[in-house]
Amino acid sequence: LNPYALSKQLAEETLRVAASAKPDLCVTVLRYPMLFGDWFRARLHANEGRVPAEHLHLGEATAHLSFEDGARLVRLVLEQPRAGYRQYFPAQTVEVKNAGARGLIERFYPTVELRRPLAAIDDLIDTSELDRDLGFRPSERFHVELAEA
């Protein structure tokens, strides 16, 4: 059990119940991934973007969003209030040049249940709902290459 995760789940469920009880209430939950700034950009661009496969923890640290995009999204949510409960995962994923999304899924996530057929998946993170609802798309995407041992 993860107390931090449970506290987030409780807060989100409380907001969901409140929005259900008061339909005119505007509730938007933003589940941010790792937020980054210049320090992370510099680190990722080291070694000409080559990352040893064992250093690319695809289950943990490939979802990211810049501080600037995070702030821009908060502004969009405040400028476009919508009644009801909404929850978003505003994230961008690292693009691995020598292993597309399908290859990454086959290699690193072979047992994960897919919501769509593998052939229909072009990216590890789908932000189309954010784009449709708020006109938001993350502005920065990192490109790396797996350096095989």
Side-chain angles (χ1 to χ4, degrees), residues 26-149:
C26 301
V27 177
T28 300
V29 173
L30 301 174
R31 295 183 125 207
Y32 283 117
M34 179 184 77
L35 294 170
F36 70 87
D38 290 338
W39 59 272
F40 188 73
R41 288 179 187 98
R43 181 176 176 202
L44 195 59
H45 290 295
N47 299 321
E48 300 175 356
R50 294 184 61 74
V51 178
E54 66 271 11
H55 293 177
L56 190 61
H57 302 287
L58 290 167
E60 299 175 12
T62 61
H64 61 276
L65 193 70
S66 70
F67 288 120
E68 298 84 0
D69 276 348
R72 184 169 55 90
L73 180 56
V74 168
R75 190 187 80 239
L76 288 169
V77 168
L78 294 173
E79 290 173 350
Q80 302 175 52
R82 294 169 191 217
Y85 180 89
R86 287 171 179 64
Q87 183 181 88
Y88 301 104
F89 181 57
Q92 184 63 278
T93 189
V94 170
E95 181 177 327
V96 181
K97 293 185 233 179
N98 57 339
R102 293 180 205 122
L104 293 172
I105 291 168
E106 289 171 338
R107 180 173 176 182
F108 294 99
Y109 308 110
T111 61
V112 172
E113 184 177 330
L114 302 177
R115 296 181 188 169
R116 296 180 295 191
L118 184 60
I121 297 175
D122 294 321
D123 208 341
L124 295 179
I125 298 174
D126 179 6
T127 58
S128 60
E129 201 172 279
L130 273 164
D131 188 20
R132 183 192 68 228
D133 292 354
L134 297 166
F136 176 82
R137 289 183 187 167
S139 64
E140 187 169 1
R141 183 174 194 151
F142 292 116
H143 303 272
V144 300
E145 185 175 337
L146 287 179
E148 299 299 332

Side-chain angles (χ1 to χ4, degrees), residues 1-13 31:
L1 291 174
N2 180 326
Y4 175 66
L6 289 173
S7 69
K8 286 174 53 173
Q9 184 179 6
L10 176 62
E12 290 170 2
E13 189 57 30
R31 295 183 125 207

